[in-house]
Amino acid sequence: MIEISNISKSYNKGAVKAVDSLDLKVNKGEIFGFLGPNGAGKTTTIKMVVGLLNPDSGSIIIDGTDIAKEPLTAKRKMGYVPDNPNLYDRLTGMEYLNFMADVYQVSADMRKERIEHYLEMFNLKGAASDLIKSYSHGMKQKTALTGALIHDPRVWILDEPMVGLDPKSAHLLKNQMREHCDRGNTVFFSTHVLEVAEKLCDRVGIIHKGKLIAIGTIDELRHGENKGSLENIFLELTEQ
Amino acid sequence: MKPFLSFIKMQLNVNYGISALKYRFTREKEKLWEPVLVGVVILVSLLPLAAMYIGLMISMFTAGTIIGQPEMILTVSFVLAQLMILIFGLFYIMGSFYFSKDLETFVPLPLKPYEVVGGKFAVIMVNEYLTSVPILLPPIIIYGAGTGQGIIYWLKSLVLMVVAPVIPLSIAALIIVLLMRVVNLRRYKDLLAIIGGLFAITIGVGSSLLFQNVPENPEEIQNFFTSQTRIVDMIGSRFPPSIWATRGLADVGIAGWGYFLLYLAASAVLMMLLLWISNLVFYKALLAGQEVSRKRNNISKSRISRQIGRTQSPVTAIAKREWKLLMRTPLYVLNGLVSSMLGPIIVAMMLLLKNEPELAELIGSLSEPGIVPYAALACLGLMLFTSGMNLVASTALSREGQTIWIAKMLPVSAKQQVAGKLVVSYVISAIGVLTTSLIMLIFLKIPILWTVGATIVGLVGSVPMASLNLLLDVFHPKLVWNSEQEAMKQNINGGIGMLISLLVLVILGGIAVPMTIIEIPVQMVFAAIGAVAAILGVLSILALFAVAEKKYRDIEA
Ligand SMILES: Nc1ncnc2c1ncn2[C@@H]1O[C@H](COP(=O)(O)OP(=O)(O)OP(=O)(O)O)[C@@H](O)[C@H]1O
Ligand SMILES: [Mg+2]
């Protein structure tokens, strides 16, 4: 579903190499967890995958569509939520969701169903007609999630989605991610919470200093020379 | 003292982007010529104003010498500088002390309130030099050179220029800090933005009306000032510090030094007073909260589903979003809608207020058959000018700021996104054009057919203006900003956009003037302007779309 071939990205005209020849494939029906220390290049990779950053080299294919060649088609296939979503402060939550539904050309019936579903699930109904300005961090995050999922994209790409969500919302989101993948779709997300990765992900990738240093199911990662919890593996791999 | 000094240093650094600049030119290896070019353009465009001011000061100095009070120009310039600093200071201080985003970071730091206030004060003070130095420097040089002063004068005047902002700025800060202690103005942020804007407009209109009363040739100016010395004295006595500064510079010996030190002491005392009082009350007002009103009553299911709209086209959705964001931000309304209607409204007010018979006669003659076409042509000029002077198009992409990632994610082509923006910018310009048409009809009594003709050509002519302004912003958006103020008013694209609009106006005028001179019927002139504007409009829209397709890809969020 997501094919990342040999992408690199540097900032400051080559001074900082944030992502270095990264190859990665995320399959259909898979929840893929993207791990790595701070500054490893997770956000940079994700932003390239969704088209917010232009890679210096390499290519990215989403569900058969090359993001550089047919960006609009590729964007219709995915829903993205950044780690710290800045939304339009002076729109209400509902206006924002209607706007997103319009630009994704979601029919009136579908949008009604999905907006009601997510507002109910995230307990946002009461706030929907307030300005986004008045929302808490978590409320903004949930509004951004709803807006990103309103067109029922096949590929979800989430940058640290659990940060800022209360336990109940996080739990419900995890369930949604599972259900989504069981229907043959894909979720690609970054996280620092290793327990979540361990329990939820079909496969994980660990990125360190811009390079992918490990990839596979949790069991596969355990098998090599490393034994023990994902935490130990993570600490060992990212030591240097 | 150490943390205080490093806080001040940090504030200056952040506000003037010193590290950011260093980073930009050493690490990111950006081209240096861009900011330099912008600086040169600004300087050059200010030259005429500076020349006028210097001329005025020289005549005042000559007039002062005749009546034996050459130092009058020092008093006047200090009064002027301090008044300006006081007025601007009120707004700067309000914004920086109470509305700025960084406050949330400072409050938890182990800094005393007076240290935070002091740091922010230092930044504003540096800002104020932009106002005070241009006002003070010419008179100080004119007086010093004109009366052949020695080294002490120059040293003293250097010191006075450095401390000049302290007194008025401390007074402004004291007013604001004490006011905020009594009423929590933070709740009325939007209202304040409107009041501030209207105030600025009033000052602008007022000072231009005032300038109309200043006589034109040098001799008359001198007579004017000689007859006004009493006024200068009077104004000076209301602002004693400006007299102290004057005496401190102009008097020799003990008296001179006495006044000079008095001025410095007054500055120091006021500054201390400010720091002391802020230490007592600053955080109390700051922490009194800044809330956004909200209803948050649980809304019934049916209301939710009623709010869920039907499907609209992406361009409509984008235009609607632009419109809402524009109209819900007072600062944008002020600089967009209000300023686009302002030109014609000022004309109307001046017509109403100036109750002179000659003017009535003039207006009467406008509706004479022979004059009407030319009057209509002039009104067309006003229309195009008005429609070109708003900042909506030239900051349309910049205003997206940190939300630009949404635009990048939308499955909507860049062409459609800018089309949505163009519609909204154009509507604002069109409102300006239509206001002018109303004035033509009601106050100038231009026949309806001519008014309609001018309006149509005006509406066509607004197309290239709006699309070129938008093109400019798409080409070079300012996406990093901390306040809406920075996005719209402190955005260089606004100024350049106005120049572009003027250029369009000059091109269209360049067609009209020669045609009128060789007495081609005015109807034909209108048709020619309309045709050229239409061609320009189509070309600039095509260029806009092409540039947008490329630039939207290049923007990284
Ligand atoms: N806008 C930028 N300009 C310059 N360098 C940047 C920029 N954004 C990121 N970097 C650099 O790129 C590298 C990777 O950053 P990235 O944000 O992708 O890390 P991350 O893995 O998401 O970290 P975190 O876990 O903290 O979110 C870091 O070295 C960072 O300093
Ligand atoms: Mg990150």
Side-chain angles (χ1 to χ4, degrees), chain A residues 9 12-13 52 54 68 75 86 88 90 95 98 102 105-106 111-112 129-130 139, chain B residues 23 28 295-296 299 305 307 309 311-312 321 328-329 405 408 411 484 553 556-557:
Chain A
K9 177 77 184 177
N12 305 335
K13 313 243 146 98
L52 289 179
N54 303 317
K75 282 174 192 169
N86 282 299
Y88 305 116
R90 290 180 193 261
E95 283 169 339
N98 267 317
D102 281 339
Q105 295 287 289
V106 180
R111 78 171 69 180
K112 188 164 172 244
S129 45
D130 292 333
M139 289 159 79
Chain B
Y23 188 79
E28 294 186 342
K295 307 163 211 103
R296 194 62 68 80
I299 302 159
S305 34
Q307 286 184 8
T311 316
Q312 293 167 323
R321 174 202 69 186
R328 288 178 189 173
T329 312
W405 69 274
K408 287 275 294 181
E484 286 146 352
R553 264 172 198 245
E556 299 204 318

mmCIF file of all heavy atoms in Angstrom, chain A residues 9 12-13 52 54 68 75 86 88 90 95 98 102 105-106 111-112 129-130 139, chain B residues 23 28 295-296 299 305 307 309 311-312 321 328-329 405 408 411 484 553 556-557:
data_model
loop_
_atom_site.group_PDB
_atom_site.id
_atom_site.type_symbol
_atom_site.label_atom_id
_atom_site.label_comp_id
_atom_site.label_asym_id
_atom_site.label_seq_id
_atom_site.Cartn_x
_atom_site.Cartn_y
_atom_site.Cartn_z
ATOM 1 N N LYS A 9 16.305 13.157 2.441
ATOM 2 C CA LYS A 9 15.933 14.575 2.612
ATOM 3 C C LYS A 9 16.950 15.244 3.511
ATOM 4 O O LYS A 9 17.234 14.767 4.604
ATOM 5 C CB LYS A 9 14.542 14.670 3.246
ATOM 6 C CG LYS A 9 14.093 16.087 3.535
ATOM 7 C CD LYS A 9 13.632 16.782 2.282
ATOM 8 C CE LYS A 9 13.263 18.227 2.519
ATOM 9 N NZ LYS A 9 12.893 18.895 1.256
ATOM 10 N N ASN A 12 18.647 22.643 5.231
ATOM 11 C CA ASN A 12 19.742 23.620 5.151
ATOM 12 C C ASN A 12 20.745 23.287 4.064
ATOM 13 O O ASN A 12 21.937 23.242 4.298
ATOM 14 C CB ASN A 12 20.485 23.722 6.492
ATOM 15 C CG ASN A 12 19.533 24.042 7.605
ATOM 16 O OD1 ASN A 12 18.480 24.615 7.364
ATOM 17 N ND2 ASN A 12 19.888 23.656 8.809
ATOM 18 N N LYS A 13 20.239 23.056 2.889
ATOM 19 C CA LYS A 13 21.101 22.816 1.738
ATOM 20 C C LYS A 13 22.149 21.759 2.019
ATOM 21 O O LYS A 13 23.330 21.929 1.754
ATOM 22 C CB LYS A 13 21.792 24.136 1.316
ATOM 23 C CG LYS A 13 20.847 25.318 1.232
ATOM 24 C CD LYS A 13 20.743 25.866 -0.169
ATOM 25 C CE LYS A 13 19.361 26.399 -0.467
ATOM 26 N NZ LYS A 13 19.169 27.791 -0.351
ATOM 27 N N LEU A 52 3.970 16.839 2.052
ATOM 28 C CA LEU A 52 4.221 18.171 2.613
ATOM 29 C C LEU A 52 5.664 18.602 2.363
ATOM 30 O O LEU A 52 5.960 19.786 2.311
ATOM 31 C CB LEU A 52 3.941 18.176 4.119
ATOM 32 C CG LEU A 52 2.480 18.079 4.520
ATOM 33 C CD1 LEU A 52 2.344 18.077 6.026
ATOM 34 C CD2 LEU A 52 1.691 19.235 3.928
ATOM 35 N N ASN A 54 9.128 17.847 -0.173
ATOM 36 C CA ASN A 54 9.549 17.212 -1.412
ATOM 37 C C ASN A 54 10.870 16.493 -1.170
ATOM 38 O O ASN A 54 11.844 17.128 -0.785
ATOM 39 C CB ASN A 54 9.719 18.264 -2.508
ATOM 40 C CG ASN A 54 8.450 19.057 -2.727
ATOM 41 O OD1 ASN A 54 7.363 18.493 -2.762
ATOM 42 N ND2 ASN A 54 8.572 20.379 -2.838
ATOM 43 N N ALA A 68 4.439 12.060 -6.367
ATOM 44 C CA ALA A 68 5.040 13.192 -7.089
ATOM 45 C C ALA A 68 4.371 13.397 -8.440
ATOM 46 O O ALA A 68 4.258 14.523 -8.916
ATOM 47 C CB ALA A 68 6.539 12.955 -7.279
ATOM 48 N N LYS A 75 -3.500 12.023 -2.788
ATOM 49 C CA LYS A 75 -4.042 12.651 -1.574
ATOM 50 C C LYS A 75 -5.437 12.157 -1.255
ATOM 51 O O LYS A 75 -5.817 12.054 -0.086
ATOM 52 C CB LYS A 75 -4.054 14.172 -1.737
ATOM 53 C CG LYS A 75 -2.676 14.789 -1.544
ATOM 54 C CD LYS A 75 -2.701 16.267 -1.851
ATOM 55 C CE LYS A 75 -1.286 16.803 -1.936
ATOM 56 N NZ LYS A 75 -1.251 18.159 -2.487
ATOM 57 N N ASN A 86 -2.361 22.428 13.477
ATOM 58 C CA ASN A 86 -2.844 23.807 13.499
ATOM 59 C C ASN A 86 -4.056 23.876 12.584
ATOM 60 O O ASN A 86 -3.934 23.679 11.383
ATOM 61 C CB ASN A 86 -1.783 24.753 12.953
ATOM 62 C CG ASN A 86 -0.714 25.036 13.974
ATOM 63 O OD1 ASN A 86 -1.016 25.573 15.038
ATOM 64 N ND2 ASN A 86 0.507 24.654 13.695
ATOM 65 N N TYR A 88 -7.887 25.933 11.442
ATOM 66 C CA TYR A 88 -8.361 27.315 11.296
ATOM 67 C C TYR A 88 -9.053 27.745 12.584
ATOM 68 O O TYR A 88 -10.177 27.342 12.862
ATOM 69 C CB TYR A 88 -9.334 27.415 10.125
ATOM 70 C CG TYR A 88 -8.769 26.900 8.829
ATOM 71 C CD1 TYR A 88 -9.325 25.802 8.193
ATOM 72 C CD2 TYR A 88 -7.667 27.509 8.249
ATOM 73 C CE1 TYR A 88 -8.803 25.319 7.003
ATOM 74 C CE2 TYR A 88 -7.131 27.032 7.064
ATOM 75 C CZ TYR A 88 -7.701 25.935 6.443
ATOM 76 O OH TYR A 88 -7.176 25.458 5.277
ATOM 77 N N ARG A 90 -10.544 30.349 13.522
ATOM 78 C CA ARG A 90 -11.781 31.119 13.496
ATOM 79 C C ARG A 90 -12.913 30.425 12.755
ATOM 80 O O ARG A 90 -13.894 31.064 12.369
ATOM 81 C CB ARG A 90 -11.533 32.509 12.925
ATOM 82 C CG ARG A 90 -10.704 33.363 13.883
ATOM 83 C CD ARG A 90 -10.459 34.740 13.333
ATOM 84 N NE ARG A 90 -9.439 35.442 14.069
ATOM 85 C CZ ARG A 90 -9.701 36.335 15.020
ATOM 86 N NH1 ARG A 90 -10.923 36.618 15.338
ATOM 87 N NH2 ARG A 90 -8.705 36.951 15.638
ATOM 88 N N GLU A 95 -17.861 23.678 10.990
ATOM 89 C CA GLU A 95 -17.526 24.323 9.715
ATOM 90 C C GLU A 95 -16.281 23.694 9.106
ATOM 91 O O GLU A 95 -16.201 23.487 7.888
ATOM 92 C CB GLU A 95 -17.298 25.824 9.920
ATOM 93 C CG GLU A 95 -18.584 26.600 10.078
ATOM 94 C CD GLU A 95 -18.349 28.038 10.536
ATOM 95 O OE1 GLU A 95 -17.267 28.327 11.103
ATOM 96 O OE2 GLU A 95 -19.244 28.859 10.347
ATOM 97 N N ASN A 98 -17.268 20.307 7.639
ATOM 98 C CA ASN A 98 -18.004 20.479 6.392
ATOM 99 C C ASN A 98 -17.087 20.902 5.254
ATOM 100 O O ASN A 98 -17.235 20.456 4.126
ATOM 101 C CB ASN A 98 -19.099 21.533 6.570
ATOM 102 C CG ASN A 98 -20.417 20.899 6.952
ATOM 103 O OD1 ASN A 98 -20.800 19.875 6.389
ATOM 104 N ND2 ASN A 98 -21.104 21.488 7.908
ATOM 105 N N ASP A 102 -16.464 18.916 1.855
ATOM 106 C CA ASP A 102 -16.650 19.535 0.540
ATOM 107 C C ASP A 102 -15.450 19.302 -0.365
ATOM 108 O O ASP A 102 -15.594 18.930 -1.517
ATOM 109 C CB ASP A 102 -16.861 21.053 0.684
ATOM 110 C CG ASP A 102 -18.277 21.374 1.111
ATOM 111 O OD1 ASP A 102 -19.154 20.511 0.894
ATOM 112 O OD2 ASP A 102 -18.498 22.468 1.651
ATOM 113 N N GLN A 105 -15.283 16.036 -1.599
ATOM 114 C CA GLN A 105 -16.497 15.670 -2.329
ATOM 115 C C GLN A 105 -17.204 14.453 -1.710
ATOM 116 O O GLN A 105 -17.523 13.487 -2.382
ATOM 117 C CB GLN A 105 -16.157 15.407 -3.805
ATOM 118 C CG GLN A 105 -15.661 16.663 -4.512
ATOM 119 C CD GLN A 105 -16.773 17.661 -4.772
ATOM 120 O OE1 GLN A 105 -17.635 17.452 -5.599
ATOM 121 N NE2 GLN A 105 -16.783 18.776 -4.006
ATOM 122 N N VAL A 106 -17.432 14.555 -0.403
ATOM 123 C CA VAL A 106 -18.163 13.498 0.295
ATOM 124 C C VAL A 106 -19.650 13.816 0.217
ATOM 125 O O VAL A 106 -20.053 14.944 0.491
ATOM 126 C CB VAL A 106 -17.723 13.442 1.780
ATOM 127 C CG1 VAL A 106 -18.478 12.351 2.512
ATOM 128 C CG2 VAL A 106 -16.226 13.220 1.873
ATOM 129 N N ARG A 111 -21.343 12.079 4.688
ATOM 130 C CA ARG A 111 -20.723 12.980 5.665
ATOM 131 C C ARG A 111 -21.529 13.021 6.943
ATOM 132 O O ARG A 111 -20.988 13.085 8.031
ATOM 133 C CB ARG A 111 -20.496 14.371 5.077
ATOM 134 C CG ARG A 111 -21.692 15.274 4.992
ATOM 135 C CD ARG A 111 -21.313 16.684 4.612
ATOM 136 N NE ARG A 111 -20.834 16.778 3.236
ATOM 137 C CZ ARG A 111 -20.447 17.899 2.656
ATOM 138 N NH1 ARG A 111 -20.439 19.011 3.347
ATOM 139 N NH2 ARG A 111 -20.065 17.923 1.421
ATOM 140 N N LYS A 112 -22.837 12.935 6.796
ATOM 141 C CA LYS A 112 -23.681 12.949 7.986
ATOM 142 C C LYS A 112 -23.341 11.752 8.863
ATOM 143 O O LYS A 112 -23.112 11.888 10.067
ATOM 144 C CB LYS A 112 -25.148 12.899 7.553
ATOM 145 C CG LYS A 112 -26.084 13.110 8.684
ATOM 146 C CD LYS A 112 -27.485 13.433 8.201
ATOM 147 C CE LYS A 112 -28.396 13.450 9.373
ATOM 148 N NZ LYS A 112 -29.428 12.486 9.440
ATOM 149 N N SER A 129 -20.090 23.365 17.625
ATOM 150 C CA SER A 129 -20.421 24.680 17.081
ATOM 151 C C SER A 129 -19.652 25.815 17.765
ATOM 152 O O SER A 129 -19.979 26.978 17.589
ATOM 153 C CB SER A 129 -21.926 24.918 17.134
ATOM 154 O OG SER A 129 -22.412 24.524 18.371
ATOM 155 N N ASP A 130 -18.625 25.470 18.513
ATOM 156 C CA ASP A 130 -17.726 26.503 19.052
ATOM 157 C C ASP A 130 -16.549 26.712 18.110
ATOM 158 O O ASP A 130 -16.211 25.833 17.321
ATOM 159 C CB ASP A 130 -17.165 26.057 20.408
ATOM 160 C CG ASP A 130 -18.235 26.011 21.470
ATOM 161 O OD1 ASP A 130 -19.216 26.777 21.339
ATOM 162 O OD2 ASP A 130 -18.109 25.217 22.404
ATOM 163 N N MET A 139 -8.845 18.180 21.895
ATOM 164 C CA MET A 139 -10.028 18.415 21.063
ATOM 165 C C MET A 139 -9.622 18.781 19.632
ATOM 166 O O MET A 139 -10.247 18.361 18.661
ATOM 167 C CB MET A 139 -10.891 19.523 21.674
ATOM 168 C CG MET A 139 -11.606 19.101 22.951
ATOM 169 S SD MET A 139 -12.078 20.514 23.942
ATOM 170 C CE MET A 139 -13.532 21.076 23.097
ATOM 171 N N TYR B 23 21.334 32.220 10.932
ATOM 172 C CA TYR B 23 21.062 30.862 10.501
ATOM 173 C C TYR B 23 20.746 30.839 9.021
ATOM 174 O O TYR B 23 21.236 30.034 8.267
ATOM 175 C CB TYR B 23 19.860 30.347 11.300
ATOM 176 C CG TYR B 23 19.555 28.885 11.130
ATOM 177 C CD1 TYR B 23 20.296 27.919 11.801
ATOM 178 C CD2 TYR B 23 18.501 28.467 10.326
ATOM 179 C CE1 TYR B 23 20.007 26.579 11.667
ATOM 180 C CE2 TYR B 23 18.203 27.122 10.185
ATOM 181 C CZ TYR B 23 18.955 26.192 10.856
ATOM 182 O OH TYR B 23 18.655 24.869 10.726
ATOM 183 N N GLU B 28 21.519 28.099 5.931
ATOM 184 C CA GLU B 28 20.648 27.817 4.796
ATOM 185 C C GLU B 28 21.156 28.450 3.513
ATOM 186 O O GLU B 28 20.626 28.226 2.444
ATOM 187 C CB GLU B 28 19.215 28.298 5.089
ATOM 188 C CG GLU B 28 18.553 27.524 6.207
ATOM 189 C CD GLU B 28 17.108 27.885 6.412
ATOM 190 O OE1 GLU B 28 16.700 28.962 5.931
ATOM 191 O OE2 GLU B 28 16.401 27.110 7.052
ATOM 192 N N LYS B 295 -20.430 28.500 23.528
ATOM 193 C CA LYS B 295 -21.733 28.128 24.080
ATOM 194 C C LYS B 295 -21.647 26.818 24.842
ATOM 195 O O LYS B 295 -22.049 26.705 25.974
ATOM 196 C CB LYS B 295 -22.771 28.034 22.967
ATOM 197 C CG LYS B 295 -22.810 29.282 22.125
ATOM 198 C CD LYS B 295 -23.523 28.994 20.798
ATOM 199 C CE LYS B 295 -22.991 29.846 19.671
ATOM 200 N NZ LYS B 295 -22.101 29.134 18.755
ATOM 201 N N ARG B 296 -21.119 25.789 24.165
ATOM 202 C CA ARG B 296 -20.873 24.514 24.800
ATOM 203 C C ARG B 296 -22.063 23.958 25.570
ATOM 204 O O ARG B 296 -21.927 23.372 26.608
ATOM 205 C CB ARG B 296 -19.656 24.647 25.747
ATOM 206 C CG ARG B 296 -19.057 23.343 26.230
ATOM 207 C CD ARG B 296 -18.542 22.533 25.095
ATOM 208 N NE ARG B 296 -17.392 23.133 24.447
ATOM 209 C CZ ARG B 296 -16.158 23.043 24.933
ATOM 210 N NH1 ARG B 296 -15.927 22.414 26.031
ATOM 211 N NH2 ARG B 296 -15.166 23.582 24.265
ATOM 212 N N ILE B 299 -25.686 20.049 22.176
ATOM 213 C CA ILE B 299 -26.601 20.334 21.085
ATOM 214 C C ILE B 299 -27.316 19.050 20.709
ATOM 215 O O ILE B 299 -26.730 17.972 20.697
ATOM 216 C CB ILE B 299 -25.814 20.865 19.884
ATOM 217 C CG1 ILE B 299 -25.049 22.111 20.326
ATOM 218 C CG2 ILE B 299 -26.730 21.199 18.745
ATOM 219 C CD1 ILE B 299 -23.911 22.404 19.441
ATOM 220 N N SER B 305 -27.293 17.524 12.799
ATOM 221 C CA SER B 305 -27.454 17.111 11.406
ATOM 222 C C SER B 305 -27.866 18.286 10.535
ATOM 223 O O SER B 305 -27.576 18.315 9.350
ATOM 224 C CB SER B 305 -28.437 15.949 11.272
ATOM 225 O OG SER B 305 -29.449 16.059 12.221
ATOM 226 N N GLN B 307 -26.618 21.177 10.834
ATOM 227 C CA GLN B 307 -25.388 21.923 10.521
ATOM 228 C C GLN B 307 -24.551 21.229 9.457
ATOM 229 O O GLN B 307 -23.656 21.820 8.890
ATOM 230 C CB GLN B 307 -24.545 22.072 11.777
ATOM 231 C CG GLN B 307 -25.110 23.096 12.737
ATOM 232 C CD GLN B 307 -24.196 23.281 13.924
ATOM 233 O OE1 GLN B 307 -23.099 22.765 13.954
ATOM 234 N NE2 GLN B 307 -24.652 24.021 14.900
ATOM 235 N N GLY B 309 -23.757 20.252 6.066
ATOM 236 C CA GLY B 309 -24.288 20.835 4.833
ATOM 237 C C GLY B 309 -24.331 19.859 3.683
ATOM 238 O O GLY B 309 -23.952 18.692 3.816
ATOM 239 N N THR B 311 -23.171 18.947 -0.334
ATOM 240 C CA THR B 311 -21.886 19.012 -0.998
ATOM 241 C C THR B 311 -21.797 20.234 -1.911
ATOM 242 O O THR B 311 -22.713 20.528 -2.659
ATOM 243 C CB THR B 311 -21.663 17.747 -1.840
ATOM 244 O OG1 THR B 311 -22.066 16.644 -1.047
ATOM 245 C CG2 THR B 311 -20.230 17.621 -2.241
ATOM 246 N N GLN B 312 -20.660 20.935 -1.802
ATOM 247 C CA GLN B 312 -20.416 22.085 -2.673
ATOM 248 C C GLN B 312 -19.153 21.807 -3.467
ATOM 249 O O GLN B 312 -18.377 20.934 -3.111
ATOM 250 C CB GLN B 312 -20.200 23.334 -1.827
ATOM 251 C CG GLN B 312 -21.446 23.755 -1.082
ATOM 252 C CD GLN B 312 -21.106 24.785 -0.034
ATOM 253 O OE1 GLN B 312 -20.065 24.722 0.603
ATOM 254 N NE2 GLN B 312 -21.991 25.741 0.140
ATOM 255 N N ARG B 321 -14.531 29.415 2.968
ATOM 256 C CA ARG B 321 -13.582 29.387 4.078
ATOM 257 C C ARG B 321 -12.819 30.709 4.126
ATOM 258 O O ARG B 321 -12.688 31.335 5.181
ATOM 259 C CB ARG B 321 -12.590 28.237 3.887
ATOM 260 C CG ARG B 321 -11.478 28.234 4.916
ATOM 261 C CD ARG B 321 -10.265 27.468 4.437
ATOM 262 N NE ARG B 321 -9.597 28.158 3.335
ATOM 263 C CZ ARG B 321 -8.579 27.655 2.653
ATOM 264 N NH1 ARG B 321 -8.128 26.457 2.915
ATOM 265 N NH2 ARG B 321 -8.029 28.333 1.662
ATOM 266 N N ARG B 328 -14.099 37.211 10.054
ATOM 267 C CA ARG B 328 -14.100 36.995 11.504
ATOM 268 C C ARG B 328 -12.836 37.520 12.161
ATOM 269 O O ARG B 328 -12.656 37.350 13.363
ATOM 270 C CB ARG B 328 -14.240 35.496 11.785
ATOM 271 C CG ARG B 328 -15.620 35.009 11.484
ATOM 272 C CD ARG B 328 -15.735 33.536 11.725
ATOM 273 N NE ARG B 328 -17.010 33.050 11.221
ATOM 274 C CZ ARG B 328 -17.338 31.769 11.182
ATOM 275 N NH1 ARG B 328 -16.500 30.871 11.642
ATOM 276 N NH2 ARG B 328 -18.507 31.401 10.696
ATOM 277 N N THR B 329 -11.937 38.107 11.405
ATOM 278 C CA THR B 329 -10.714 38.646 11.976
ATOM 279 C C THR B 329 -10.753 40.161 11.833
ATOM 280 O O THR B 329 -10.605 40.670 10.731
ATOM 281 C CB THR B 329 -9.489 38.071 11.239
ATOM 282 O OG1 THR B 329 -9.641 36.662 11.131
ATOM 283 C CG2 THR B 329 -8.217 38.392 11.969
ATOM 284 N N TRP B 405 -0.346 23.581 5.947
ATOM 285 C CA TRP B 405 -0.298 22.130 5.701
ATOM 286 C C TRP B 405 -1.636 21.612 5.208
ATOM 287 O O TRP B 405 -1.693 20.673 4.415
ATOM 288 C CB TRP B 405 0.139 21.373 6.966
ATOM 289 C CG TRP B 405 -0.864 21.388 8.078
ATOM 290 C CD1 TRP B 405 -1.022 22.342 9.041
ATOM 291 C CD2 TRP B 405 -1.872 20.393 8.339
ATOM 292 N NE1 TRP B 405 -2.055 22.023 9.875
ATOM 293 C CE2 TRP B 405 -2.591 20.819 9.474
ATOM 294 C CE3 TRP B 405 -2.233 19.186 7.727
ATOM 295 C CZ2 TRP B 405 -3.659 20.101 10.000
ATOM 296 C CZ3 TRP B 405 -3.292 18.462 8.260
ATOM 297 C CH2 TRP B 405 -3.994 18.919 9.382
ATOM 298 N N LYS B 408 -1.846 22.134 1.579
ATOM 299 C CA LYS B 408 -0.992 21.187 0.871
ATOM 300 C C LYS B 408 -1.608 19.788 0.812
ATOM 301 O O LYS B 408 -1.330 19.026 -0.092
ATOM 302 C CB LYS B 408 0.373 21.084 1.581
ATOM 303 C CG LYS B 408 1.267 22.279 1.407
ATOM 304 C CD LYS B 408 2.080 22.206 0.127
ATOM 305 C CE LYS B 408 3.097 21.067 0.148
ATOM 306 N NZ LYS B 408 3.896 21.025 -1.090
ATOM 307 N N PRO B 411 -7.093 17.585 -1.613
ATOM 308 C CA PRO B 411 -7.047 17.023 -2.953
ATOM 309 C C PRO B 411 -7.622 18.022 -3.947
ATOM 310 O O PRO B 411 -8.487 17.689 -4.762
ATOM 311 C CB PRO B 411 -7.944 15.789 -2.826
ATOM 312 C CG PRO B 411 -8.953 16.192 -1.818
ATOM 313 C CD PRO B 411 -8.253 17.094 -0.852
ATOM 314 N N GLU B 484 -1.773 38.092 13.655
ATOM 315 C CA GLU B 484 -2.436 38.462 12.408
ATOM 316 C C GLU B 484 -1.885 39.785 11.875
ATOM 317 O O GLU B 484 -1.806 39.998 10.663
ATOM 318 C CB GLU B 484 -3.945 38.563 12.670
ATOM 319 C CG GLU B 484 -4.553 37.187 12.807
ATOM 320 C CD GLU B 484 -5.692 37.094 13.780
ATOM 321 O OE1 GLU B 484 -5.962 38.085 14.502
ATOM 322 O OE2 GLU B 484 -6.309 36.022 13.843
ATOM 323 N N ARG B 553 3.585 23.432 -5.142
ATOM 324 C CA ARG B 553 4.406 22.238 -4.998
ATOM 325 C C ARG B 553 5.661 22.525 -4.193
ATOM 326 O O ARG B 553 6.110 21.698 -3.407
ATOM 327 C CB ARG B 553 4.849 21.740 -6.370
ATOM 328 C CG ARG B 553 3.978 20.656 -6.907
ATOM 329 C CD ARG B 553 4.379 20.372 -8.353
ATOM 330 N NE ARG B 553 3.287 19.661 -8.982
ATOM 331 C CZ ARG B 553 3.380 18.412 -9.415
ATOM 332 N NH1 ARG B 553 4.508 17.750 -9.304
ATOM 333 N NH2 ARG B 553 2.340 17.826 -9.951
ATOM 334 N N GLU B 556 7.004 23.999 1.409
ATOM 335 C CA GLU B 556 7.146 22.852 2.298
ATOM 336 C C GLU B 556 6.576 23.227 3.646
ATOM 337 O O GLU B 556 6.807 24.312 4.149
ATOM 338 C CB GLU B 556 8.621 22.466 2.422
ATOM 339 C CG GLU B 556 9.228 22.071 1.073
ATOM 340 C CD GLU B 556 10.441 21.173 1.191
ATOM 341 O OE1 GLU B 556 11.267 21.431 2.071
ATOM 342 O OE2 GLU B 556 10.541 20.208 0.410
ATOM 343 N N ALA B 557 5.784 22.323 4.213
ATOM 344 C CA ALA B 557 5.142 22.671 5.482
ATOM 345 C C ALA B 557 5.544 21.687 6.565
ATOM 346 O O ALA B 557 5.810 20.551 6.301
ATOM 347 C CB ALA B 557 3.640 22.658 5.318
#
